[in-house]
C-alpha cells in the first residue's frame, strides 16, 4: 500500500483529525469547531465514494473550489434552504431586498438594529474542520483558487489567501456615497455610542447576521452615516435582488480558466425564486372586463456559483460535489458525495 493510500485509510477509518499544524500556524484560525444543530441529516460515509474523491483530488494540480452555506452550518450558522433546519423551513423570515434597503430609511433602521443585536454572536463563529482542511490544501499548493458564496469571513479566519468572496463579507461596511470601506467592528462601537443603554433580546441569527425584532423594538434605534461624507452605510455584501460586481466575476472566471478540476463543497447551486400572486384587472369606466391572477417569479440571488459550473463543464473540467441533498449540477459531477463537508474534507490527503 502506497503512502497516500495508507494515510487516506487512516483518516477514513476515523483517525482523520484536521491537520493540527494548521491551527497552530494560523493565529486567526483558532480551534476548529463543529456543531450539527443546523446540519441536515445524511447517510453514513461511503468508503468507496471517499476513495473516489481522494483519487479526484490527487489527480488535480490546480484545484478550483466553490463553497456555499452548507460549509458553514457546521460552524453554527444556519443556511436558508436546508430541509428541516434551514431558516426558510423553520421561520417565515426572509432576507432584506436590495431595493428595500436603498429606498427606505425605516428598512435600514430595522436592518441595522437587528444586525447590531446579532453581531456579537455572528462575528464570534469560528472555522470548522472543513474550512481548515481547505486552508491546508491551499498552503500545500493543491488548492489554486477558492470562491465562496458565503459572507461570514470564515475562510479568511481559517487563513485563506487565494479566495474571492463572491457575495461580499459582513465584516466590512461600505459607504454608498464615497465608497469608503470600514470594519464592521468599528461600526458596532459607533452604534453603542449612539444608542447608550439600548438593548433588545432576539431569536436566532441568520446567515447574514440578521435577527428578528419588532418595529416597536427598533423605533428609537439611531443609525450613523459615513464618518467621511455622512452618506448611507451598507454591509459590503450583495443583498438579494442586487448584482455581483462584473470585475469580480471576470476575475473568478480567469482563475477558473487556470484550473484543471472543480470541487463544490456545501452548495446546492440554486437560485432562489419566490412565488407571489397578484391580481390584474382590465376596466372601462365602471365595467370590469377581465380579472386575472398571475403568479410572478422574482430572482432573489442573481448570480449563483452554478454559472461557474457551466463554464467548467463546457471546458470539460472534471467536477466533484460534496453536499447534503440534491444540487443543480449533479448531472455534471464525476464524483458525488451526499455528506457533511466537515466529515469528508479532513479525510482527504492533498497530495
Amino acid at each position: 500500500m502506497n503512502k497516500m493510500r495508507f494515510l487516506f485509510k487512516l483518516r477514513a477509518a476515523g483517525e482523520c483529525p484536521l491537520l493540527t499544524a494548521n491551527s497552530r500556524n494560523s493565529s486567526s484560525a483558532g480551534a476548529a469547531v463543529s456543531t450539527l444543530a443546523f446540519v441536515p441529516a445524511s447517510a453514513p460515509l461511503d468508503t468507496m465514494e471517499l476513495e473516489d474523491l481522494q483519487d479526484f483530488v490527487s489527480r488535480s494540480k490546480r484545484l478550483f473550489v466553490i463553497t456555499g452555506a452548507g460549509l458553514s452550518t457546521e460552524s453554527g450558522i444556519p443556511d436558508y434552504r436546508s430541509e428541516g433546519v434551514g431558516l426558510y423551513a423553520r421561520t417565515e423570515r426572509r432576507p432584506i431586498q436590495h431595493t428595500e434597503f436603498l429606498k427606505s430609511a425605516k428598512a435600514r433602521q430595522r436592518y441595522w438594529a437587528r444586525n447590531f443585536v446579532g453581531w456579537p454572536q455572528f462575528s464570534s463563529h469560528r472555522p470548522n474542520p472543513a474550512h481548515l482542511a481547505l486552508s491546508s490544501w491551499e498552503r500545500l499548493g493543491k488548492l489554486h483558487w477558492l470562491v465562496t458564496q458565503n459572507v461570514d469571513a470564515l475562510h479568511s479566519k481559517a487563513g485563506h489567501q487565494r479566495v474571492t468572496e463572491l457575495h461580499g463579507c459582513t465584516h466590512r461596511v461600505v459607504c454608498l456615497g464615497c465608497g469608503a470601506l470600514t470594519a464592521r467592528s468599528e461600526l458596532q462601537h459607533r452604534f453603542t455610542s449612539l444608542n447608550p443603554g439600548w438593548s433588545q433580546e432576539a431569536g436566532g441569527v441568520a446567515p447574514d447576521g440578521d435577527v428578528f425584532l419588532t418595529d416597536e423594538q427598533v423605533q428609537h434605534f439611531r443609525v450613523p452615516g459615513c464618518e467621511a461624507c455622512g452618506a448611507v452605510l451598507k454591509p459590503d455584501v450583495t443583498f438579494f435582488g442586487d448584482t455581483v460586481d462584473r470585475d469580480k466575476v471576470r476575475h473568478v472566471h480567469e482563475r477558473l480558466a487556470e484550473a484543471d478540476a472543480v470541487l463544490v463543497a456545501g452548495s446546492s447551486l440554486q437560485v432562489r425564486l419566490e412565488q407571489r400572486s397578484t391580481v390584474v384587472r382590465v376596466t372601462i369606466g365602471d365595467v370590469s372586463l377581465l380579472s386575472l391572477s398571475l403568479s410572478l417569479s422574482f430572482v432573489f440571488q442573481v448570480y449563483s456559483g452554478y454559472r461557474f459550473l457551466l463554464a467548467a463543464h463546457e471546458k470539460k473540467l472534471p467536477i466533484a460535489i460534496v453536499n447534503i441533498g440534491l444540487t443543480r449540477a449533479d448531472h455534471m459531477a464525476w464524483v458525488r458525495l451526499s455528506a457533511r463537508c466537515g466529515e469528508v474534507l479532513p479525510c482527504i490527503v492533498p497530495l
Side-chain angles (χ1 to χ4, degrees), residues 249-264:
V249 173
R250 185 182 305 111
H251 174 77
V252 173
H253 276 292
E254 289 172 353
R255 302 291 76 75
L256 177 61
E258 299 164 351
D260 61 8
V262 176
L263 169 67
V264 177

Side-chain angles (χ1 to χ4, degrees), residues 148-167:
T148 183
Q149 300 169 109
N150 300 335
V151 297
D152 50 35
L154 292 185
H155 284 298
S156 295
K157 289 182 179 181
H160 271 286
Q161 300 294 322
R162 303 177 66 83
V163 58
T164 296
E165 295 165 323
L166 187 63
H167 297 146

Side-chain angles (χ1 to χ4, degrees), residues 121-133:
Q121 179 182 340
F122 182 80
S123 61
S124 68
H125 288 296
R126 308 302 302 170
N128 65 56
H131 294 102
L132 298 183

Side-chain angles (χ1 to χ4, degrees), residues 32-337:
V33 295
S34 183
T35 175
L36 304 184
F38 303 115
V39 181
S42 60
L45 281 178
D46 184 303
T47 303
M48 293 297 295
E49 292 178 346
L50 274 174
E51 290 189 4
D52 289 342
L53 183 62
Q54 175 67 70
D55 183 63
F56 176 91
V57 173
S58 298
R59 291 174 182 272
S60 174
K61 303 302 181 185
R62 299 181 305 280
L63 184 64
F64 183 94
V65 177
I66 301 173
T67 68
L71 198 82
S72 293
T73 54
E74 292 179 62
S75 290
I77 301 176
D79 63 7
Y80 288 115
R81 304 180 184 89
S82 287
E83 184 176 352
V85 294
L87 284 181
Y88 290 157
R90 296 184 292 111
T91 73
E92 295 298 320
R93 288 164 53 189
R94 296 297 182 267
I96 191 169
Q97 302 299 297
H98 179 67
T99 54
E100 180 185 10
F101 186 92
L102 294 184
K103 293 180 178 180
S104 171
K106 193 71 176 178
R108 292 194 295 272
Q109 179 193 43
R110 183 171 61 250
Y111 174 86
W112 279 123
R114 289 155 53 156
N115 192 270
F116 170 72
V117 174
W119 181 251
Q121 179 182 340
F122 182 80
S123 61
S124 68
H125 288 296
R126 308 302 302 170
N128 65 56
H131 294 102
L132 298 183
L134 291 173
S135 180
S136 73
W137 294 9
E138 178 185 298
R139 287 199 327 277
L140 294 170
K142 173 62 66 175
L143 190 152
H144 175 65
W145 201 264
L146 185 147
V147 56
T148 183
Q149 300 169 109
N150 300 335
V151 297
D152 50 35
L154 292 185
H155 284 298
S156 295
K157 289 182 179 181
H160 271 286
Q161 300 294 322
R162 303 177 66 83
V163 58
T164 296
E165 295 165 323
L166 187 63
H167 297 146
C169 179
T170 55
H171 287 250
R172 296 187 300 268
V173 177
V174 61
C175 172
L176 297 182
C178 66
L181 285 174
T182 55
R184 174 61 184 80
S185 57
E186 294 179 11
L187 183 59
Q188 191 75 358
H189 295 311
R190 296 183 66 197
F191 281 139
T192 302
S193 298
L194 275 176
N195 300 277
W198 191 93
S199 65
Q200 298 291 343
E201 293 185 0
V205 182
D208 60 356
D210 189 22
V211 300
F212 178 75
L213 295 174
T214 65
D215 288 342
E216 291 74 19
Q217 287 177 295
V218 307
Q219 62 180 336
H220 299 301
F221 187 79
R222 299 177 62 190
V223 179
C226 173
E227 287 190 300
C229 71
V232 170
L233 296 176
K234 173 185 171 293
D236 189 26
V237 300
T238 303
F239 281 143
F240 284 85
D242 193 9
T243 57
V244 176
D245 179 74
R246 290 184 179 181
D247 289 338
K248 182 183 293 186
V249 173
R250 185 182 305 111
H251 174 77
V252 173
H253 276 292
E254 289 172 353
R255 302 291 76 75
L256 177 61
E258 299 164 351
D260 61 8
V262 176
L263 169 67
V264 177
S267 177
S268 63
L269 303 167
Q270 297 288 345
V271 175
R272 177 71 179 180
L273 299 180
E274 181 77 10
Q275 298 292 330
R276 298 180 182 176
S277 296
T278 186
V279 175
V280 178
R281 291 185 175 88
V282 180
T283 62
I284 296 180
D286 296 328
V287 181
S288 179
L289 300 180
L290 181 64
S291 179
L292 297 174
S293 178
L294 303 178
S295 180
L296 305 179
S297 295
F298 299 91
V299 178
F300 282 177
Q301 187 170 319
V302 296
Y303 205 103
S304 164
Y306 181 67
R307 297 195 188 184
F308 300 123
L309 265 292
L310 289 175
H313 186 61
E314 184 177 342
K315 298 175 185 294
K316 303 188 185 307
L317 294 180
I319 296 170
I321 299 176
V322 180
N323 184 70
I324 298 176
L326 300 175
T327 82
R328 199 178 178 194
D330 283 349
H331 64 287
M332 304 179 192
W334 293 31
V335 178
R336 177 70 171 91
L337 281 77

